Amino acid sequence: MANVSQAQRTFCCGKHQRHKVTQYKKVKDSLYTQGKRRYGGKQSGYGGQTKPIFRKKAKPTKIMLRLECVEPNCRSKRMLAIKRCKHPELGGEKRKRAK
Amino acid sequence: MAVAVSRQGTVAGYGMVAQDTVEAGELLFAVPRAALLSPNTCSISALLEREQSALQSQSGWVPLLLALLHELQAPASFWNPYFALWPDLGRLQHPMFWPEDERRRLLQGTGVPEAVEKDLVNIGSEFHSVVLPFMEAHPDLFSPRVRSLELYQQLVALVMAYSFQELLEEDDDEEKEPNSPLMVPAADILNHIANHNANLEFSAECLRMVATQPIPKGHEIFNTYGQMANWQLIHMYGFVEPYPGNTNDTADIQMVTVCEAALQGTKVEAERLLLKERWDFLCQLEMVGEEGAFVIGQEEVITEEELLTTLKVLCMPPEEFREFKDQAGWEDANRDEDGCLPVTDIPKFRASWRQLLRDSVLLTLETYATDLQTDQDLLANKEVHAKLSWREQQALQVRYGQKIILHHLLELTR
C-alpha cells in the first residue's frame, strides 16, 4: 500500500504552501456517466460515443492526486500522478520499517 | 464454427447465436484489422489523411462518413459483402427519421427530441460546409448519387448504431479528443441487452469478441453498447429494452430545474440574490452547468458528487455558506464512501435536502405530456397496447422507465 499524507507542502504562490491532498476520484467506468457528468456534452448523438471496444488493462493505473493550495486567495488546484500502486491509502499510519 | 448469424431466435433483425455451449472468457470470433472499415483502411485513406485538417468538424465523424460514401459507390469495393448485410437505410428506426411532431409528442420530457434536433442541425451544417464541397472537389471518387443529404443522414444513423470506438483512457483530468469511430464487420451484427454475455476487446492484430458469461447452446450472443439508458438506446440505436429489462435505465433532473425549485422557496429579492450567489459558486466548482443534468439510476445516483454538493450548498444556512465559500471546501475532509450514493440513502438526508429534491422531481414530472398512471394504463391493457404503433410502444417504454425512477424518488423524499 502506498501512503500519502493528507497535507503536503509544495510550491505555490511563490513559496512552499500547505496543500490539501485528495485522491482524484476516477470517473466511473460507465459510458453513460462519461456523458452526462460533463453537462450532457457530446457523448450521445452525432459525434458521441458509440459501441465500446475494451482495452484490457495490463498494469494498474497511475494514481492521480489532486493538490489544492490552502491559501484562501489562491486555492489553485493541480494534479499529480504518482507511481502505480493497487491500494493507495491517504493519511494512513506510517508503516514501521522491518527490522 | 462456434457462432452463427441468424434471423431466428434473435431479438431483432440479424443477431448471433451460439452453436455450442460457450464458457465465460472463451473467444467467439476474431476480426482481423484488415477487415475494419475506417478512414485509415479505406481505399482513399491517403487522401483523407492529407486533407484531414479541412475535414475537421465538431462531430469528428466526417472522415469515416466520407470513407463510407466512397466505398458504397465503388464498383468493386472490398467491403461489398459487408454492405450486403447492412440494414435497409430507408427503414432505420431512429427518432431522427420520425416526423417532427410525432417525435416531440411521443418523447416529450425524455430529452430525446432536443438531442435529435441538435443532431439534425449539426448533420445539415457539416454536410453543407464540409462534406458536399469535398465530394464535389473529388467527383471521380464520389458519384453524384452519393452526394445526397438524405443518404448522409442515413449513414450518420448507421454510424451511431453500428460503429465502434475505443473507450477513452480515464487517467487524465482533461477530456481527451475521442477516438473516431470505425466499422467492425461481424462484430456489429451482435445485438445488445443490459445483461449481456459478450464484449469486444482490442488487441494488436485483431479485435476479439469474447464471452463474458457462459452461453448455452442456441442462445443469442449479446454484446454491450455501454451502460445505456432507454433514452440513449432509442436515440443512438433506434430500439429500447422493455421494462423491467433495462437495469441501466436512468432519469435526468436538469440542473437548472433544481435551481428553479430552490427559487420557488424564496420570498424576497435578498433571498433570490443569495441563491444566485450559491448557484454561481456551484458553477465555479464545476458541479453544475446550464446544460447539465443530475442522473438517477434505478439503484443509485450516478452523478452523486454533483447532487450532494448541490443540495448541501443550496440548503445550508447563510452564515455557513459564507464560511464555506471562503474555505472552498477545505473543511470537507470527512467525505466517506466517495463515489457511491445508493438511492436508499436518500431517506436519511436532512429534511431541507429531501424537500428540495422532491420539489425538483415534481417540476421534472411536469415536463412530460402525461403522468405515470396514463403510461401504466397503456402498458397494463394488452389490447390497447397491441394497437399502438411500434414507435408509440418504444416511446412509451422510454417515458415509463424514467417516470418510474422519478416516482421512486418521490417515495424516498416523503
Side-chain angles (χ1 to χ4, degrees):
Chain A
M1 289 196 271
N3 275 1
V4 181
S5 65
Q6 264 181 310
Q8 197 158 297
R9 293 190 83 84
T10 179
F11 209 78
C12 189
C13 314
K15 57 186 183 211
H16 273 73
Q17 287 279 22
R18 276 183 78 211
H19 284 72
K20 180 186 168 205
V21 179
T22 48
Q23 185 175 349
Y24 175 65
K25 187 161 62 78
K26 272 172 61 155
V27 170
K28 285 193 189 157
D29 263 351
S30 165
L31 283 187
Y32 184 84
T33 60
Q34 278 180 21
K36 274 306 193 177
R37 266 178 178 273
R38 297 299 169 228
Y39 315 141
K42 294 176 58 167
Q43 295 308 317
S44 182
Y46 182 45
Q49 178 76 44
T50 60
K51 303 186 198 185
I53 304 173
F54 295 95
R55 271 202 193 234
K56 274 188 139 40
K57 285 206 166 111
K59 41 199 180 185
T61 46
K62 295 185 292 212
I63 302 303
M64 295 303 287
L65 296 180
R66 184 170 154 159
L67 271 64
E68 190 176 318
C69 182
V70 306
E71 175 63 49
N73 296 326
C74 175
R75 283 178 308 180
S76 67
K77 299 174 187 55
R78 78 176 167 278
M79 306 296 288
L80 178 70
I82 62 174
K83 286 219 172 62
R84 305 170 201 123
C85 103
K86 278 204 168 120
H87 303 292
E89 203 177 286
L90 277 181
E93 281 188 20
K94 286 201 190 330
R95 284 212 306 250
K96 295 196 167 40
R97 284 187 194 282
K99 290 225 166 84
Chain B
M1 186 78 247
V3 301
V5 175
S6 175
R7 280 186 166 280
Q8 315 278 350
T10 64
V11 291
Y14 283 118
M16 260 198 214
V17 169
Q19 299 284 77
D20 278 301
T21 310
V22 171
E23 284 169 31
E26 206 175 306
L27 172 68
L28 294 161
F29 59 88
V31 183
R33 298 216 92 100
L36 303 179
L37 176 41
S38 75
N40 300 332
T41 61
C42 73
S43 55
I44 56 168
S45 60
L47 172 65
L48 293 175
E49 170 81 33
R50 217 164 40 238
E51 298 288 320
Q52 67 181 322
S53 53
L55 302 176
Q56 298 266 27
S57 72
Q58 197 183 30
S59 70
W61 285 13
V62 168
L64 174 63
L65 287 157
L66 284 170
L68 294 177
L69 285 160
H70 171 72
E71 295 297 338
L72 279 172
Q73 57 86 68
S77 170
F78 175 70
W79 286 277
N80 280 342
Y82 168 57
F83 297 143
L85 290 175
W86 270 12
D88 183 346
L89 294 181
R91 292 244 191 99
L92 296 166
Q93 317 249 37
H94 300 64
M96 74 160 81
F97 300 111
W98 301 7
E100 185 183 6
D101 52 282
E102 193 177 352
R103 175 174 63 236
R104 284 193 185 166
R105 178 172 54 86
L106 293 178
L107 291 165
Q108 183 185 324
T110 63
V112 176
E114 295 79 0
V116 170
E117 252 123 74
K118 218 165 91 166
D119 287 344
L120 290 173
V121 166
N122 292 335
I123 288 167
S125 101
E126 288 191 5
F127 179 77
H128 286 114
S129 63
V130 182
V131 178
L132 187 58
F134 187 83
M135 291 198 285
E136 288 172 343
H138 304 277
D140 45 319
L141 300 175
F142 300 97
S143 86
R145 64 190 168 84
V146 296
R147 297 181 218 163
S148 141
L149 174 60
E150 185 185 20
L151 174 62
Y152 190 73
Q153 189 181 325
Q154 291 168 345
L155 290 177
V156 166
L158 189 109
V159 169
M160 279 180 174
Y162 287 80
S163 73
F164 288 83
Q165 268 175 308
E166 268 186 65
L167 269 193
L168 302 177
E169 286 292 302
E170 291 178 17
D171 282 358
D172 308 304
D173 192 16
E174 309 298 312
E175 288 194 13
K176 268 177 76 166
E177 273 299 303
N179 294 310
S180 28
L182 47 100
M183 312 305 292
V184 185
D188 63 13
I189 287 174
L190 275 70
N191 292 310
H192 157 104
I193 46 168
N195 181 21
H196 64 105
N197 49 29
N199 68 15
L200 189 63
E201 290 174 4
F202 172 97
S203 82
E205 331 73 42
C206 63
L207 294 181
R208 312 166 82 242
M209 190 66 78
V210 174
T212 54
Q213 292 193 60
I215 310 173
K217 174 174 172 172
H219 280 225
E220 186 169 357
I221 305 167
F222 290 103
N223 186 15
T224 179
Y225 301 171
Q227 290 176 260
M228 308 287 282
N230 272 347
W231 77 265
Q232 293 173 311
L233 287 176
I234 202 175
H235 178 208
M236 295 295 273
Y237 301 95
F239 76 93
V240 298
E241 286 193 68
Y243 190 85
N246 190 355
T247 49
N248 293 316
D249 213 2
T250 62
D252 281 5
I253 299 174
Q254 297 301 313
M255 289 169 174
V256 294
T257 302
V258 176
C259 192
E260 216 182 292
L263 192 64
Q264 276 178 347
T266 61
K267 298 178 196 74
V268 295
E269 185 63 17
E271 285 176 356
R272 283 191 278 279
L273 284 173
L274 182 54
L275 175 61
K276 179 161 196 327
E277 212 187 313
R278 296 177 195 236
W279 179 258
D280 289 343
F281 181 61
L282 284 166
C283 291
Q284 268 181 59
L285 290 180
E286 295 192 345
M287 285 294 137
V288 301
E290 291 299 303
E291 304 282 306
F294 300 109
V295 181
I296 320 290
Q298 293 182 341
E299 311 272 296
E300 50 163 354
V301 175
I302 312 290
T303 53
E304 77 286 341
E305 194 189 356
E306 290 88 336
L307 182 64
L308 288 173
T309 310
T310 300
L311 292 174
K312 179 167 143 176
V313 168
L314 293 186
C315 294
M316 59 175 49
E319 325 76 58
E320 200 182 321
F321 175 63
R322 271 192 291 279
E323 217 181 281
F324 184 79
K325 202 177 168 188
D326 287 341
Q327 311 226 359
W330 163 227
E331 290 300 324
D332 57 64
N334 19 289
R335 277 182 1 196
D336 47 303
E337 286 304 308
D338 235 341
C340 178
L341 177 54
V343 294
T344 45
D345 278 2
I346 291 172
K348 304 175 200 163
F349 285 175
R350 66 198 68 186
S352 56
W353 291 21
R354 274 185 285 125
Q355 187 62 52
L356 179 54
L357 183 53
R358 183 180 183 75
D359 292 340
S360 306
V361 171
L362 289 168
L363 284 176
T364 303
L365 282 166
E366 282 175 25
T367 65
Y368 294 87
T370 57
D371 62 6
L372 175 64
Q373 190 62 57
T374 309
D375 285 343
Q376 220 143 32
D377 293 343
L378 281 174
L379 276 171
N381 188 330
K382 294 219 157 67
E383 273 177 30
V384 169
H385 186 266
K387 295 210 180 100
L388 296 177
S389 70
W390 179 243
R391 289 176 186 165
E392 283 171 327
Q393 290 183 5
Q394 302 232 303
L396 172 59
Q397 291 292 344
V398 178
R399 299 189 312 256
Y400 182 70
Q402 292 182 347
K403 289 176 191 176
I404 283 282
I405 290 171
L406 292 169
H407 274 261
H408 189 202
L409 279 183
L410 283 185
E411 280 164 38
L412 295 164
T413 54
R414 240 204 303 255

